[in-house]
């Protein structure tokens, strides 16, 4: 219901329907949830350090999370352009200022983007289907995602309702020791290839479990630290897995735009442009 600002329940209703409010509280709630689940788990959970070898970090990111959850029970929308936003309340869509919170890949292929007004999006994709928020389903799906990750990893760091970092270093090390590939004094071609094989197999297992339990797809980026794992996810999307080795990362980062670094926005980009810095190679 649309309540007047004079209504005694206006504030309560506003926060109940606010996407930004949910996003701001989700991370704190999930961090507490993940800590409790790991503490009560019979598995030993440990986070690796930069000096550990081998160090394997995964970045797990759900694809178009709000839309994916919203169309699980709407199979007729699977291949159509779909976006999640508040209702237009009977207004003609070309005048709607409701903001798109999430859109799927068929919608993105037509130029629709997150944060775009519905009216503008409809001009690009007249067949765009708008579905409402479902915060309870998002929360249930998110908690299932984290339970799967915790059950299949050494450590989990919550990022948001649809995104997490997973440490798999100890598990990979144990497997390499069983195969008599550790300890060693250098990273051979054989060892590097085997590390990639083990982590890819584990990532695909995680993706299958997530899809089976939640009905949604996830992409996984793998590397040696948090930043590189997150960057690797760019190449994994949609619904894929990408391994970025330390050897390959140097060449890839050289040409990467600084705008693609997590946490770098337009303000930092503009300041760096004044110093004639646009890529990570120039920054180095």
């Amino acid at each position: 219901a649309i309540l007047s600002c004079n209504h005694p329940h206006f504030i309560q209703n506003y926060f109940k329907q606010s996407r930004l409010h949910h996003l701001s509280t989700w991370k704190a709630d999930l961090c507490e949830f993940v800590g409790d689940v790991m503490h009560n788990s019979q598995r030993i959970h440990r986070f690796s350090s930069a000096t550990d070898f081998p160090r394997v970090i995964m970045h797990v990111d759900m694809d178009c999370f709000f839309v994916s959850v919203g169309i699980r029970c709407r199979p007729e929308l699977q291949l159509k352009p779909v976006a999640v936003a508040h209702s237009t309340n009977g207004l003609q869509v070309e005048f709607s200022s409701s903001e798109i919170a999430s859109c799927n890949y068929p919608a993105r292929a037509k130029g629709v983007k997150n944060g775009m007004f519905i009216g503008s999006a409809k001009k690009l994709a007249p067949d765009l289907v708008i579905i409402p928020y479902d915060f309870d389903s998002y929360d249930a799906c998110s908690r299932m995602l984290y339970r799967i990750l915790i059950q299949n990893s050494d450590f989990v760091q919550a990022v948001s309702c649809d995104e997490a970092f997973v440490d798999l270093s100890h598990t990979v090390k144990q497997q390499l020791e069983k195969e008599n590939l550790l300890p060693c004094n250098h990273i051979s071609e054989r060892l590097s290839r085997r590390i990639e094989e083990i982590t890819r197999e584990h990532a695909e297992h995680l993706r299958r479990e997530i899809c089976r339990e939640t009905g949604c797809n996830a992409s996984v980026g793998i590397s040696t630290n948090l930043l590189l794992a997150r960057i690797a996810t760019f190449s994994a999307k949609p619904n894929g897995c990408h391994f970025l080795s330390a050897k390959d990362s140097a060449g890839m980062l050289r040409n990467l735009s600084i705008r693609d670094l997590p946490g770098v926005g337009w303000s930092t980009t503009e300041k760096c442009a004044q110093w004639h810095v646009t890529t990570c190679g120039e920054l180095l």
Side-chain angles (χ1 to χ4, degrees):
I2 304 303
L3 304 180
S4 163
C5 62
N6 295 320
H7 194 283
H9 296 149
F10 174 77
I11 296 296
Q12 179 183 1
N13 186 69
Y14 172 81
F15 283 118
K16 181 179 179 181
Q17 302 297 330
S18 170
R19 170 175 59 97
L20 296 179
H21 171 69
H22 281 270
L23 291 176
S24 66
T25 58
W26 249 330
K27 182 173 183 178
D29 292 342
L30 284 172
C31 285
E32 183 177 354
F33 171 76
V34 169
D36 289 342
V37 174
M38 284 197 294
H39 178 73
N40 295 323
S41 172
Q42 296 186 6
R43 180 180 180 131
I44 298 175
H45 294 281
R46 66 192 79 182
F47 192 74
S48 63
S49 67
T51 58
D52 288 334
F53 176 80
R55 195 173 193 222
V56 179
I57 305 295
M58 292 183 179
H59 177 241
V60 181
D61 194 6
M62 302 293 280
D63 295 339
C64 314
F65 183 59
F66 285 6
V67 172
S68 296
V69 174
I71 64 176
R72 289 182 302 181
C73 57
R74 299 176 173 95
E76 71 280 5
L77 299 180
Q78 291 292 335
L79 300 179
K80 294 183 178 180
V82 181
V84 172
H86 280 300
S87 169
T88 56
N89 302 320
L91 295 175
Q92 295 182 16
V93 292
E94 60 266 28
F95 300 114
S96 174
S97 61
S98 291
E99 185 181 281
I100 290 176
S102 176
C103 58
N104 62 1
Y105 284 98
R108 295 181 189 187
K110 296 188 175 185
V112 179
K113 297 179 181 179
N114 294 350
M116 185 177 285
F117 292 147
I118 292 179
S120 301
K122 277 286 191 177
K123 292 178 181 178
L124 296 172
D127 58 339
L128 182 68
V129 179
I130 307 297
I131 60 176
Y133 290 93
D134 186 355
F135 292 112
D136 289 339
S137 294
Y138 304 151
D139 187 61
C141 186
S142 181
R143 289 174 183 266
M144 177 58 69
L145 164 68
Y146 276 99
R147 286 189 183 278
I148 293 170
L149 297 180
I150 292 169
Q151 291 168 2
N152 294 275
S153 66
D154 302 326
F155 194 88
V156 175
Q157 178 178 315
V159 177
S160 68
C161 59
D162 62 342
E163 182 182 2
F165 285 112
V166 173
D167 197 323
L168 203 65
S169 306
H170 184 66
T171 296
V172 173
K173 183 178 181 180
Q174 285 185 319
Q175 182 61 38
L176 293 173
E177 288 173 341
K178 288 180 181 178
E179 298 175 11
N180 294 320
L181 292 175
L182 289 181
C184 62
N185 297 323
H186 68 285
I187 305 177
S188 64
E189 188 67 29
R190 179 191 176 194
L191 178 58
S192 178
R193 186 166 58 250
R194 186 59 185 134
I195 291 173
E196 180 175 350
E197 290 173 351
I198 295 171
T199 52
R200 280 185 178 274
E201 289 170 3
H202 199 90
E204 292 301 337
H205 169 71
L206 280 178
R207 295 197 325 107
R208 286 193 298 269
E209 285 295 297
I210 292 169
C211 185
R212 183 173 66 86
E213 294 294 335
T214 70
C216 302
N217 295 326
S219 296
V220 179
I222 312 165
S223 195
T224 56
N225 61 44
L226 302 177
L227 175 63
L228 292 178
R230 195 167 185 174
I231 290 175
T233 310
F234 296 156
S235 300
K237 285 186 169 293
N239 190 27
C241 170
H242 183 73
F243 181 92
L244 179 61
S245 67
K247 178 181 177 182
D248 296 334
S249 64
M252 189 276 293
L253 284 174
R254 189 175 298 113
N255 298 317
L256 184 73
S257 169
I258 60 170
R259 186 66 176 84
D260 291 331
L261 291 174
V264 175
W266 68 267
S267 178
T268 302
T269 303
E270 286 294 316
K271 290 177 182 178
C272 288
Q274 295 174 11
W275 306 329
H276 306 288
V277 173
T278 60
T279 67
C280 292
E282 292 170 340
L283 185 63
L284 287 170

